[in-house]
Coordinates of all heavy atoms in Angstrom, one line a residue:
M1 N 16.7 17.9 3.6 CA 16.6 16.5 3.5 C 17.5 16.0 2.4 O 17.5 16.4 1.3 CB 15.1 16.1 3.2 CG 14.8 14.7 3.2 SD 13.1 14.3 2.8 CE 12.2 15.7 2.5
S2 N 18.4 15.0 2.8 CA 19.3 14.4 1.8 C 18.9 13.1 1.5 O 18.4 12.3 2.3 CB 20.7 14.5 2.3 OG 20.8 13.7 3.5
G3 N 19.0 12.6 0.2 CA 18.7 11.3 -0.2 C 17.2 11.1 -0.4 O 16.4 12.1 -0.3
T4 N 16.8 10.0 -0.8 CA 15.4 9.7 -1.0 C 14.7 9.2 0.2 O 15.1 8.3 0.9 CB 15.3 8.6 -2.1 OG1 15.9 9.1 -3.3 CG2 13.8 8.3 -2.4
P5 N 13.6 9.8 0.6 CA 12.8 9.4 1.8 C 12.3 7.9 1.5 O 12.2 7.4 0.4 CB 11.6 10.3 1.8 CG 12.1 11.6 1.0 CD 13.0 11.0 0.0
I6 N 12.0 7.3 2.6 CA 11.5 5.9 2.7 C 10.1 5.9 3.3 O 9.9 6.5 4.3 CB 12.5 5.0 3.5 CG1 13.8 5.0 2.9 CG2 11.9 3.6 3.6 CD1 14.0 4.3 1.6
M7 N 9.2 5.1 2.7 CA 7.9 5.0 3.3 C 7.8 3.5 3.7 O 8.1 2.6 2.9 CB 6.7 5.3 2.3 CG 5.3 5.0 2.8 SD 4.1 5.4 1.6 CE 4.1 7.1 1.6
I8 N 7.3 3.3 4.9 CA 7.1 1.9 5.4 C 5.6 1.7 5.7 O 5.1 2.6 6.4 CB 7.9 1.6 6.7 CG1 9.4 1.7 6.3 CG2 7.6 0.2 7.2 CD1 10.4 1.6 7.5
V9 N 5.0 0.8 5.0 CA 3.5 0.5 5.2 C 3.4 -0.8 5.9 O 4.0 -1.8 5.4 CB 2.8 0.5 3.9 CG1 1.3 0.3 4.1 CG2 3.0 1.8 3.1
S10 N 2.7 -1.0 6.9 CA 2.5 -2.3 7.6 C 1.1 -2.4 8.2 O 0.5 -1.4 8.5 CB 3.5 -2.5 8.7 OG 3.4 -1.5 9.7
W11 N 0.6 -3.6 8.2 CA -0.7 -3.8 8.8 C -0.9 -5.2 9.2 O -0.2 -6.2 8.9 CB -1.8 -3.4 7.9 CG -2.1 -4.3 6.7 CD1 -2.8 -5.4 6.6 CD2 -1.6 -4.1 5.3 NE1 -2.8 -5.9 5.4 CE2 -2.1 -5.2 4.6 CE3 -0.8 -3.1 4.8 CZ2 -1.8 -5.2 3.2 CZ3 -0.5 -3.3 3.5 CH2 -1.1 -4.3 2.7
W12 N -1.9 -5.4 10.1 CA -2.3 -6.7 10.6 C -3.7 -7.0 10.1 O -4.6 -6.2 10.1 CB -2.4 -6.6 12.2 CG -1.1 -6.5 12.9 CD1 -0.4 -7.6 13.5 CD2 -0.3 -5.4 13.1 NE1 0.7 -7.2 14.1 CE2 0.8 -5.8 13.9 CE3 -0.4 -4.0 12.8 CZ2 1.8 -4.9 14.3 CZ3 0.5 -3.1 13.2 CH2 1.6 -3.6 13.9
D13 N -3.9 -8.2 9.7 CA -5.3 -8.8 9.5 C -5.7 -9.3 10.8 O -5.2 -10.3 11.2 CB -5.3 -9.8 8.4 CG -5.0 -9.2 7.0 OD1 -5.6 -8.2 6.6 OD2 -4.0 -9.7 6.4
L14 N -6.6 -8.6 11.5 CA -7.1 -9.1 12.8 C -8.1 -10.2 12.8 O -9.0 -10.1 12.0 CB -7.7 -7.8 13.5 CG -6.8 -6.6 13.6 CD1 -7.5 -5.4 14.3 CD2 -5.6 -7.0 14.5
G15 N -7.7 -11.2 13.5 CA -8.6 -12.4 13.5 C -9.3 -12.6 14.9 O -9.1 -11.8 15.8
P16 N -9.9 -13.7 15.0 CA -10.6 -14.1 16.3 C -9.4 -14.1 17.3 O -8.3 -14.6 17.1 CB -11.1 -15.5 16.1 CG -11.3 -15.6 14.6 CD -10.1 -14.8 14.0
G17 N -9.7 -13.6 18.5 CA -8.7 -13.6 19.6 C -7.8 -12.4 19.5 O -7.1 -12.1 20.5
D18 N -7.8 -11.7 18.4 CA -7.0 -10.4 18.3 C -7.9 -9.3 18.9 O -9.1 -9.3 18.9 CB -6.6 -10.0 16.9 CG -5.5 -10.9 16.3 OD1 -4.7 -11.5 17.1 OD2 -5.5 -11.1 15.1
P19 N -7.3 -8.1 19.3 CA -8.0 -6.9 19.6 C -8.8 -6.5 18.4 O -8.4 -6.8 17.2 CB -7.0 -5.9 20.0 CG -5.7 -6.6 20.2 CD -5.8 -7.9 19.4
S20 N -9.8 -5.8 18.6 CA -10.7 -5.3 17.4 C -10.0 -4.0 17.0 O -9.2 -3.4 17.6 CB -12.1 -5.0 17.9 OG -12.2 -3.9 18.8
V21 N -10.5 -3.5 15.8 CA -10.0 -2.2 15.4 C -10.5 -1.1 16.3 O -9.7 -0.2 16.6 CB -10.6 -1.9 14.0 CG1 -10.3 -0.4 13.5 CG2 -10.1 -2.9 13.0
Q22 N -11.6 -1.2 16.9 CA -12.1 -0.3 17.9 C -11.2 -0.3 19.1 O -10.9 0.8 19.7 CB -13.5 -0.5 18.3 CG -14.5 -0.4 17.3 CD -14.8 -1.6 16.4 OE1 -14.0 -2.5 16.4 NE2 -15.8 -1.5 15.5
D23 N -10.7 -1.5 19.6 CA -9.8 -1.6 20.7 C -8.5 -0.8 20.4 O -7.9 -0.1 21.2 CB -9.5 -3.0 21.0 CG -10.6 -3.8 21.6 OD1 -11.6 -3.2 22.1 OD2 -10.6 -5.1 21.4
M24 N -8.0 -1.0 19.1 CA -6.8 -0.4 18.7 C -6.9 1.1 18.7 O -6.0 1.8 19.1 CB -6.3 -1.0 17.3 CG -6.0 -2.4 17.3 SD -4.9 -3.0 18.6 CE -3.3 -2.2 18.0
E25 N -8.0 1.6 18.2 CA -8.2 3.0 18.1 C -8.3 3.6 19.5 O -7.8 4.7 19.8 CB -9.6 3.3 17.4 CG -9.5 3.1 15.9 CD -10.8 3.4 15.2 OE1 -11.9 3.0 15.7 OE2 -10.7 3.9 14.1
A26 N -9.0 2.9 20.5 CA -9.0 3.4 21.9 C -7.7 3.6 22.5 O -7.5 4.3 23.4 CB -9.9 2.4 22.7
D27 N -6.7 2.7 22.0 CA -5.4 2.8 22.6 C -4.4 3.7 21.8 O -3.2 3.8 22.2 CB -4.8 1.4 22.6 CG -3.6 1.2 23.4 OD1 -3.6 1.3 24.6 OD2 -2.5 1.1 22.8
I28 N -4.9 4.4 20.8 CA -4.0 5.0 19.9 C -3.0 6.1 20.4 O -1.9 6.3 20.0 CB -4.8 5.6 18.7 CG1 -3.9 5.9 17.5 CG2 -5.5 6.9 19.1 CD1 -4.6 6.1 16.2
F29 N -3.5 6.7 21.5 CA -2.6 7.8 22.1 C -1.6 7.3 23.1 O -0.7 8.1 23.5 CB -3.6 8.9 22.7 CG -4.4 9.5 21.7 CD1 -5.7 9.2 21.6 CD2 -3.9 10.5 20.7 CE1 -6.5 9.8 20.6 CE2 -4.6 11.0 19.8 CZ -6.0 10.7 19.7
Q30 N -1.6 6.0 23.4 CA -0.6 5.5 24.3 C 0.7 5.4 23.6 O 0.8 4.6 22.6 CB -1.1 4.1 24.8 CG -2.2 4.1 25.7 CD -2.0 4.8 27.0 OE1 -0.9 4.8 27.6 NE2 -3.0 5.5 27.5
G31 N 1.7 6.2 23.9 CA 2.9 6.1 23.2 C 3.0 6.9 21.9 O 4.1 6.9 21.3
A32 N 2.0 7.4 21.4 CA 2.0 8.2 20.2 C 2.9 9.3 20.2 O 3.7 9.6 19.2 CB 0.6 8.6 19.7
D33 N 3.0 10.0 21.3 CA 3.9 11.2 21.5 C 5.4 10.7 21.3 O 6.2 11.6 20.9 CB 3.7 11.9 22.7 CG 2.4 12.7 22.7 OD1 1.8 13.0 21.7 OD2 1.9 13.1 23.8
D34 N 5.7 9.6 21.7 CA 7.1 9.1 21.6 C 7.6 9.2 20.1 O 8.8 9.4 19.9 CB 7.2 7.6 22.1 CG 7.0 7.5 23.6 OD1 7.0 8.5 24.3 OD2 6.7 6.3 24.0
W35 N 6.7 9.0 19.2 CA 7.1 9.1 17.8 C 7.3 10.4 17.3 O 8.2 10.7 16.4 CB 5.9 8.4 16.9 CG 5.9 6.9 17.1 CD1 5.0 6.3 17.9 CD2 6.7 5.9 16.5 NE1 5.3 4.9 17.9 CE2 6.3 4.7 17.0 CE3 7.7 6.0 15.5 CZ2 6.9 3.5 16.5 CZ3 8.3 4.8 15.1 CH2 7.9 3.6 15.6
S36 N 6.8 11.5 18.0 CA 7.0 12.9 17.5 C 8.4 13.4 17.6 O 8.8 14.3 16.9 CB 6.0 13.8 18.2 OG 6.3 13.9 19.5
S37 N 9.1 12.8 18.5 CA 10.6 13.2 18.7 C 11.5 12.1 18.1 O 12.7 12.2 18.4 CB 10.8 13.4 20.2 OG 10.6 12.2 20.9
C38 N 11.1 11.3 17.2 CA 11.9 10.3 16.6 C 12.7 10.8 15.5 O 12.2 11.3 14.5 CB 11.0 9.2 16.1 SG 11.9 7.6 15.8
P39 N 14.0 10.8 15.6 CA 14.9 11.4 14.6 C 14.6 10.8 13.2 O 14.6 9.6 13.1 CB 16.3 11.1 15.0 CG 16.2 10.8 16.5 CD 14.8 10.2 16.7
G40 N 14.5 11.7 12.2 CA 14.3 11.3 10.9 C 12.9 11.0 10.4 O 12.7 10.7 9.3
L41 N 12.0 10.9 11.4 CA 10.6 10.6 11.0 C 9.9 11.8 10.5 O 9.9 12.9 11.1 CB 9.8 10.1 12.2 CG 8.3 9.7 12.0 CD1 8.2 8.6 11.0 CD2 7.6 9.5 13.3
L42 N 9.4 11.8 9.2 CA 8.7 13.0 8.6 C 7.3 13.0 9.0 O 6.7 14.0 9.3 CB 8.9 13.0 7.1 CG 10.3 13.1 6.6 CD1 10.4 13.0 5.1 CD2 11.0 14.4 7.1
S43 N 6.6 11.8 9.0 CA 5.2 11.6 9.4 C 4.9 10.2 9.7 O 5.5 9.3 9.1 CB 4.3 12.2 8.2 OG 4.5 11.6 7.1
K44 N 3.8 10.0 10.4 CA 3.3 8.7 10.8 C 1.8 8.8 10.8 O 1.2 9.7 11.3 CB 3.8 8.3 12.2 CG 3.3 6.9 12.6 CD 4.0 6.5 13.9 CE 3.4 5.2 14.4 NZ 3.5 4.0 13.6
Y45 N 1.2 7.8 10.2 CA -0.2 7.7 10.1 C -0.7 6.3 10.6 O -0.1 5.3 10.3 CB -0.6 7.8 8.6 CG -0.2 9.0 7.9 CD1 1.1 9.0 7.2 CD2 -0.9 10.2 8.0 CE1 1.6 10.1 6.7 CE2 -0.4 11.3 7.3 CZ 0.8 11.3 6.7 OH 1.3 12.4 6.0
W46 N -1.8 6.3 11.4 CA -2.3 5.1 11.9 C -3.5 4.8 10.9 O -4.3 5.6 10.5 CB -2.8 5.2 13.3 CG -1.6 5.2 14.3 CD1 -1.2 4.1 15.0 CD2 -0.8 6.2 14.6 NE1 -0.2 4.4 15.8 CE2 0.1 5.7 15.6 CE3 -0.7 7.6 14.3 CZ2 1.1 6.5 16.2 CZ3 0.3 8.4 14.9 CH2 1.1 7.8 15.9
L47 N -3.6 3.5 10.6 CA -4.7 3.1 9.6 C -5.7 2.2 10.2 O -5.3 1.2 10.9 CB -4.0 2.4 8.4 CG -2.9 3.0 7.7 CD1 -2.3 2.1 6.7 CD2 -3.4 4.3 7.1
A48 N -7.0 2.4 9.9 CA -8.0 1.6 10.6 C -9.0 1.2 9.4 O -9.5 2.1 8.7 CB -8.8 2.4 11.6
D49 N -9.2 -0.1 9.3 CA -10.2 -0.6 8.3 C -11.1 -1.5 9.0 O -10.9 -2.7 9.2 CB -9.4 -1.4 7.2 CG -10.3 -2.0 6.1 OD1 -11.6 -2.0 6.3 OD2 -9.8 -2.5 5.1
H50 N -12.3 -0.9 9.4 CA -13.3 -1.7 10.2 C -13.9 -2.7 9.4 O -14.1 -3.8 10.0 CB -14.4 -0.7 10.7 CG -13.9 0.3 11.7 ND1 -13.9 0.1 13.0 CD2 -13.2 1.5 11.5 CE1 -13.4 1.1 13.7 NE2 -13.0 2.0 12.8
E51 N -14.2 -2.5 8.2 CA -14.9 -3.5 7.4 C -14.1 -4.8 7.2 O -14.6 -5.9 7.3 CB -15.2 -2.9 6.0 CG -16.1 -3.8 5.1 CD -16.4 -3.1 3.8 OE1 -16.7 -1.9 3.8 OE2 -16.4 -3.8 2.8
N52 N -12.8 -4.7 7.0 CA -11.9 -5.8 6.7 C -11.1 -6.2 7.9 O -10.2 -7.1 7.8 CB -11.0 -5.6 5.5 CG -11.8 -5.5 4.2 OD1 -12.5 -6.4 3.9 ND2 -11.8 -4.3 3.6
R53 N -11.3 -5.6 9.1 CA -10.6 -5.8 10.4 C -9.1 -5.8 10.2 O -8.4 -6.7 10.5 CB -11.0 -7.2 10.9 CG -12.5 -7.3 11.4 CD -12.8 -8.5 12.2 NE -11.8 -9.0 13.1 CZ -11.6 -8.6 14.4 NH1 -12.3 -7.7 14.9 NH2 -10.7 -9.2 15.1
R54 N -8.6 -4.6 9.7 CA -7.2 -4.4 9.5 C -6.8 -3.2 10.3 O -7.6 -2.2 10.4 CB -6.8 -4.2 8.1 CG -7.0 -5.4 7.2 CD -6.4 -5.1 5.8 NE -6.6 -6.2 5.0 CZ -7.2 -6.2 3.8 NH1 -7.8 -5.1 3.4 NH2 -7.4 -7.3 3.1
W55 N -5.6 -3.3 10.9 CA -5.0 -2.1 11.6 C -3.6 -2.0 11.1 O -2.9 -3.0 10.9 CB -5.1 -2.4 13.1 CG -4.4 -1.4 13.9 CD1 -3.1 -1.3 14.4 CD2 -5.1 -0.1 14.2 NE1 -2.9 -0.1 15.1 CE2 -4.1 0.7 14.9 CE3 -6.2 0.4 14.0 CZ2 -4.3 1.9 15.5 CZ3 -6.6 1.7 14.5 CH2 -5.6 2.4 15.2
G56 N -3.1 -0.8 11.0 CA -1.8 -0.6 10.5 C -1.3 0.8 10.6 O -1.8 1.6 11.3
G57 N -0.2 1.0 9.9 CA 0.4 2.3 9.9 C 1.3 2.6 8.7 O 1.7 1.6 7.9
V58 N 1.5 3.8 8.5 CA 2.4 4.3 7.4 C 3.4 5.3 8.0 O 2.9 6.2 8.8 CB 1.6 5.1 6.2 CG1 2.6 5.6 5.2 CG2 0.6 4.1 5.6
M59 N 4.7 5.1 7.8 CA 5.7 6.1 8.3 C 6.6 6.5 7.1 O 6.9 5.7 6.2 CB 6.5 5.3 9.3 CG 5.8 5.0 10.6 SD 6.9 4.2 11.8 CE 6.9 2.5 11.2
V60 N 6.8 7.8 7.1 CA 7.7 8.4 6.0 C 8.9 8.9 6.8 O 8.8 9.7 7.7 CB 7.0 9.4 5.2 CG1 7.9 10.0 4.1 CG2 5.7 8.9 4.6
W61 N 10.0 8.4 6.3 CA 11.4 8.7 7.0 C 12.2 9.4 6.0 O 12.2 9.2 4.8 CB 12.1 7.4 7.3 CG 11.3 6.6 8.4 CD1 10.4 5.6 8.1 CD2 11.5 6.7 9.8 NE1 10.0 5.1 9.3 CE2 10.6 5.7 10.3 CE3 12.3 7.4 10.6 CZ2 10.5 5.6 11.7 CZ3 12.2 7.3 11.9 CH2 11.3 6.3 12.5
E62 N 13.1 10.3 6.5 CA 14.1 11.0 5.7 C 15.0 10.0 5.0 O 15.5 10.1 3.9 CB 15.0 11.9 6.6 CG 14.2 13.1 7.0 CD 15.2 14.0 7.9 OE1 16.2 13.6 8.3 OE2 14.7 15.1 8.2
R63 N 15.3 8.9 5.7 CA 16.2 7.8 5.2 C 15.8 6.6 6.1 O 14.9 6.7 7.0 CB 17.6 8.2 5.4 CG 18.0 8.4 6.9 CD 19.4 9.0 7.0 NE 19.6 9.6 8.2 CZ 19.0 10.8 8.7 NH1 18.3 11.4 7.8 NH2 19.3 11.3 9.8
R64 N 16.3 5.5 5.7 CA 15.9 4.2 6.4 C 16.1 4.5 7.9 O 17.2 5.0 8.4 CB 16.8 3.1 6.0 CG 16.3 1.8 6.5 CD 16.7 0.6 5.6 NE 16.2 0.6 4.2 CZ 15.0 0.4 3.8 NH1 14.0 0.0 4.7 NH2 14.6 0.4 2.5
P65 N 15.1 4.1 8.7 CA 15.1 4.5 10.2 C 16.2 3.6 10.9 O 16.6 2.5 10.5 CB 13.8 4.1 10.7 CG 13.3 3.1 9.7 CD 13.9 3.5 8.3
A66 N 16.7 4.2 12.0 CA 17.6 3.5 12.9 C 16.9 2.4 13.6 O 15.6 2.3 13.7 CB 18.2 4.5 13.9
A67 N 17.6 1.5 14.2 CA 17.0 0.3 15.0 C 16.4 0.8 16.3 O 15.5 0.1 16.8 CB 18.0 -0.8 15.1
D68 N 16.8 1.9 16.8 CA 16.4 2.4 18.1 C 15.1 3.2 17.9 O 15.1 4.4 17.8 CB 17.5 3.3 18.7 CG 17.2 3.7 20.1 OD1 16.3 3.0 20.7 OD2 17.7 4.7 20.5
L69 N 13.9 2.5 17.9 CA 12.7 3.2 17.6 C 11.7 3.0 18.9 O 12.0 2.1 19.8 CB 11.9 2.5 16.5 CG 12.6 2.6 15.2 CD1 11.8 1.8 14.1 CD2 12.8 4.0 14.7
P70 N 10.7 3.8 19.0 CA 9.8 3.7 20.1 C 9.1 2.3 20.1 O 9.1 1.6 19.0 CB 8.7 4.8 19.9 CG 9.5 5.8 19.1 CD 10.4 5.0 18.3
I71 N 8.6 1.9 21.1 CA 7.8 0.6 21.3 C 6.8 0.5 20.3 O 6.0 1.5 20.1 CB 7.3 0.3 22.7 CG1 8.5 0.1 23.6 CG2 6.3 -0.8 22.7 CD1 8.1 0.1 25.1
N72 N 6.7 -0.6 19.5 CA 5.6 -0.8 18.6 C 4.3 -1.2 19.4 O 4.2 -2.4 19.7 CB 5.9 -1.8 17.5 CG 4.9 -2.0 16.5 OD1 3.7 -1.8 16.7 ND2 5.3 -2.3 15.3
R73 N 3.5 -0.3 19.7 CA 2.4 -0.5 20.6 C 1.4 -1.5 20.0 O 0.9 -2.4 20.7 CB 1.7 0.8 21.0 CG 0.6 0.7 21.9 CD 1.1 1.0 23.3 NE 0.0 0.9 24.2 CZ -0.2 0.1 25.2 NH1 0.7 -0.7 25.6 NH2 -1.3 0.1 25.9
A74 N 1.2 -1.4 18.7 CA 0.2 -2.4 18.0 C 0.8 -3.8 18.1 O 0.0 -4.7 18.4 CB 0.0 -2.0 16.6
A75 N 2.0 -4.1 17.9 CA 2.6 -5.4 17.9 C 2.5 -5.9 19.3 O 2.2 -7.1 19.5 CB 4.0 -5.3 17.5
Q76 N 2.7 -5.0 20.3 CA 2.6 -5.4 21.7 C 1.2 -5.9 22.0 O 1.0 -6.9 22.6 CB 2.9 -4.2 22.5 CG 3.6 -4.4 23.8 CD 4.0 -3.1 24.5 OE1 3.3 -2.1 24.4 NE2 5.1 -3.1 25.2
L77 N 0.2 -5.1 21.6 CA -1.2 -5.4 21.9 C -1.7 -6.6 21.2 O -2.5 -7.4 21.7 CB -2.2 -4.2 21.6 CG -2.0 -3.0 22.5 CD1 -2.7 -1.8 22.1 CD2 -2.4 -3.3 23.9
I78 N -1.4 -6.7 19.9 CA -1.8 -7.8 19.0 C -1.1 -9.1 19.3 O -1.5 -10.2 19.2 CB -1.7 -7.5 17.5 CG1 -2.7 -6.2 17.3 CG2 -2.1 -8.6 16.6 CD1 -2.4 -5.5 15.9
G79 N 0.2 -9.0 19.7 CA 1.0 -10.1 20.1 C 1.8 -10.7 19.1 O 2.3 -11.9 19.2
R80 N 2.0 -10.0 18.0 CA 2.9 -10.5 16.9 C 3.3 -9.4 16.0 O 2.7 -8.3 16.0 CB 2.2 -11.5 16.1 CG 1.0 -11.1 15.3 CD 0.3 -12.2 14.5 NE -0.7 -11.6 13.6 CZ -1.9 -11.4 14.0 NH1 -2.4 -11.7 15.3 NH2 -2.8 -10.9 13.1
P81 N 4.3 -9.6 15.2 CA 4.7 -8.5 14.2 C 3.6 -8.3 13.2 O 2.8 -9.2 13.0 CB 6.0 -9.0 13.6 CG 6.4 -10.2 14.4 CD 5.3 -10.7 15.2
A82 N 3.7 -7.2 12.4 CA 2.7 -7.0 11.4 C 2.7 -8.2 10.4 O 3.7 -8.8 10.1 CB 3.0 -5.7 10.7
D83 N 1.5 -8.4 9.9 CA 1.3 -9.5 8.8 C 2.0 -9.1 7.5 O 2.5 -9.9 6.8 CB -0.2 -9.8 8.6 CG -0.8 -10.3 9.9 OD1 -0.2 -11.2 10.5 OD2 -1.9 -10.0 10.2
I84 N 1.9 -7.8 7.2 CA 2.4 -7.3 6.0 C 3.3 -6.0 6.3 O 2.9 -5.2 7.1 CB 1.3 -6.8 5.0 CG1 0.4 -7.9 4.7 CG2 1.9 -6.1 3.8 CD1 0.9 -9.0 3.9
R85 N 4.5 -6.0 5.8 CA 5.3 -4.8 6.0 C 6.2 -4.7 4.7 O 6.9 -5.6 4.3 CB 6.3 -5.1 7.1 CG 7.2 -3.9 7.5 CD 8.1 -4.2 8.7 NE 9.1 -3.2 8.9 CZ 9.0 -2.2 9.7 NH1 7.9 -2.1 10.4 NH2 9.9 -1.3 9.9
V86 N 6.0 -3.5 4.0 CA 6.7 -3.2 2.8 C 7.2 -1.8 2.8 O 6.7 -0.9 3.6 CB 5.7 -3.3 1.6 CG1 5.3 -4.8 1.4 CG2 4.5 -2.4 1.7
S87 N 8.4 -1.7 2.1 CA 9.0 -0.4 2.1 C 9.1 0.1 0.6 O 9.1 -0.7 -0.3 CB 10.5 -0.5 2.6 OG 10.5 -0.9 3.9
F88 N 9.0 1.5 0.5 CA 9.1 2.1 -0.8 C 10.0 3.3 -0.7 O 10.0 4.0 0.2 CB 7.7 2.6 -1.2 CG 6.6 1.6 -1.3 CD1 5.8 1.3 -0.2 CD2 6.4 0.9 -2.5 CE1 4.8 0.4 -0.3 CE2 5.4 -0.1 -2.5 CZ 4.6 -0.3 -1.4
A89 N 10.7 3.5 -1.8 CA 11.4 4.8 -2.0 C 10.3 5.8 -2.3 O 9.4 5.5 -3.0 CB 12.4 4.7 -3.1
V90 N 10.5 7.1 -1.9 CA 9.5 8.1 -2.1 C 10.3 9.3 -2.8 O 10.9 10.1 -2.2 CB 8.9 8.6 -0.7 CG1 7.9 9.7 -1.0 CG2 8.3 7.5 0.0
P91 N 10.2 9.2 -4.1 CA 11.0 10.2 -4.9 C 10.4 11.6 -4.9 O 11.2 12.6 -5.2 CB 11.0 9.7 -6.4 CG 9.9 8.7 -6.4 CD 9.6 8.2 -5.0
K92 N 9.2 11.8 -4.5 CA 8.6 13.1 -4.5 C 7.5 13.2 -3.5 O 6.7 12.2 -3.3 CB 8.0 13.5 -5.9 CG 7.3 14.8 -5.9 CD 8.4 16.0 -5.9 CE 7.7 17.3 -6.1 NZ 8.4 18.3 -5.5
I93 N 7.4 14.2 -2.7 CA 6.4 14.4 -1.6 C 5.8 15.8 -1.9 O 6.5 16.8 -2.1 CB 6.9 14.4 -0.2 CG1 7.5 13.0 0.1 CG2 5.8 14.8 0.8 CD1 8.2 13.0 1.5
V94 N 4.5 15.9 -2.1 CA 3.7 17.1 -2.2 C 2.8 17.3 -0.9 O 2.1 16.3 -0.6 CB 2.9 17.2 -3.4 CG1 2.0 18.5 -3.5 CG2 3.8 17.1 -4.6
H95 N 2.9 18.3 -0.2 CA 2.1 18.6 0.9 C 0.9 19.5 0.5 O 1.0 20.5 -0.1 CB 2.9 19.3 2.1 CG 4.0 18.5 2.6 ND1 3.8 17.4 3.4 CD2 5.3 18.5 2.3 CE1 5.0 16.8 3.7 NE2 5.9 17.4 3.0
G96 N -0.3 19.0 0.9 CA -1.5 19.7 0.6 C -1.8 20.8 1.6 O -1.0 21.0 2.6
I97 N -2.8 21.6 1.4 CA -3.2 22.7 2.3 C -3.8 22.0 3.5 O -4.5 21.0 3.5 CB -4.3 23.5 1.6 CG1 -3.7 24.2 0.4 CG2 -4.9 24.5 2.6 CD1 -4.7 25.0 -0.4
Q98 N -3.4 22.6 4.7 CA -3.9 22.0 6.0 C -5.4 22.3 6.1 O -5.8 23.5 5.9 CB -3.2 22.7 7.2 CG -1.7 22.3 7.2 CD -1.5 20.9 7.5 OE1 -2.1 20.2 8.3 NE2 -0.4 20.3 6.8
G99 N -6.2 21.4 6.3 CA -7.6 21.5 6.5 C -8.2 20.8 7.7 O -7.4 20.4 8.5
D100 N -9.5 20.7 7.7 CA -10.1 20.0 8.8 C -9.9 18.5 8.6 O -10.7 17.9 7.7 CB -11.5 20.4 9.1 CG -11.6 21.8 9.5 OD1 -10.7 22.3 10.1 OD2 -12.7 22.4 9.2
H101 N -9.1 17.8 9.4 CA -9.0 16.4 9.3 C -8.5 15.9 10.7 O -8.0 16.6 11.4 CB -8.1 15.9 8.1 CG -6.8 16.5 8.2 ND1 -5.7 16.1 8.9 CD2 -6.3 17.6 7.5 CE1 -4.7 16.9 8.7 NE2 -5.0 17.8 7.9
P102 N -8.7 14.5 10.9 CA -8.4 14.0 12.2 C -6.9 14.1 12.4 O -6.1 14.0 11.6 CB -8.7 12.5 12.2 CG -9.6 12.4 11.0 CD -9.3 13.6 10.1
R103 N -6.5 14.3 13.7 CA -5.1 14.4 14.1 C -4.8 13.5 15.2 O -5.5 13.3 16.0 CB -4.6 15.8 14.5 CG -4.7 16.8 13.2 CD -4.1 18.1 13.6 NE -4.3 19.0 12.6 CZ -3.6 19.2 11.5 NH1 -2.6 18.5 11.3 NH2 -3.9 20.2 10.6

């Protein structure tokens, strides 16, 4: 890996008329495999906050991603871009021991 990785964090505050977090979770596997072959993507996480009605994601890239990305399924279902989208440089990554956790 050359250069500093980039982390992009984005989420939606789901309001009345938006899909619920449960709806988003039910749809999570539609198109998820498209991301696994995305050049430069180190990892992608889907985020669910039932209590505050938030849905989002975290992506860690080797470098700033190209414009040619898989369809943003959440934006498609919710009907708008993410309410919050921030990028961070990631100067260090430590991988933990693989255990029992959702995949």
